[in-house]
């Protein structure tokens, strides 16, 4: 999946908010992960669990999906996805992740990790 920005494609992880809570598998670089997307009614925010599909090892549980904040950024090790995953709107029309915009104008965009 992706959107055109300037002359290059920006890739993102598609999320279907109609299915929340749900799991899906996604291959990022050379590893497949299982994402679990949930909605926390009390905090009014989406969260994500992350595990390695091959081993079932849980890497992160309940990471808040916050606008403009890199996901799973508290731990830097080789088990985590190589691309940086940042929820935002490429058109700059949003400033938070909501039930109305998530998976529509706000996507989980993938960015190359700076070495």
């Amino acid at each position: 999946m992706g959107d055109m920005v300037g002359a290059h494609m920006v890739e993102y992880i598609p999320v279907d908010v109609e299915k929340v809570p749900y799991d899906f598998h996604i291959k990022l670089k050379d590893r497949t992960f299982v994402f679990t997307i949930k909605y926390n009614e009390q905090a009014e925010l989406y969260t994500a669990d992350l595990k390695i599909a091959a081993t079932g090892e849980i890497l992160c549980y309940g990471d808040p999906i916050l606008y403009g904040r890199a996901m799973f950024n508290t731990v830097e090790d080789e088990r985590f996805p190589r691309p940086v995953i940042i929820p935002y709107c490429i058109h700059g029309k949003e400033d938070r992740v909501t039930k109305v915009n998530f998976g529509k104008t706000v996507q989980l965009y993938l960015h190359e990790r700076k070495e």
Side-chain angles (χ1 to χ4, degrees), residues 34-82:
V34 179
F35 276 74
T36 301
I37 306 292
K38 299 176 187 167
Y39 188 75
N40 181 320
E41 291 288 345
Q42 290 174 318
E44 294 184 354
L45 58 79
Y46 288 95
T47 62
D49 302 345
L50 178 71
K51 66 182 175 183
I52 298 172
T55 63
E57 179 183 3
I58 297 171
L59 299 178
C60 192
Y61 185 78
D63 190 50
I65 301 174
L66 302 174
Y67 190 90
R69 173 191 161 269
M71 295 180 64
F72 316 119
N73 214 20
T74 52
V75 179
E76 285 286 332
D77 74 33
E78 70 284 348
R79 297 173 301 162
F80 283 76
R82 290 310 305 150

Side-chain angles (χ1 to χ4, degrees), residues 18-32:
E18 301 298 319
K19 293 181 181 175
V20 171
Y22 79 110
D23 298 345
F24 61 91
H25 287 69
I26 187 155
K27 186 171 184 176
L28 299 173
K29 298 290 184 192
D30 60 346
R31 183 173 287 163
T32 301

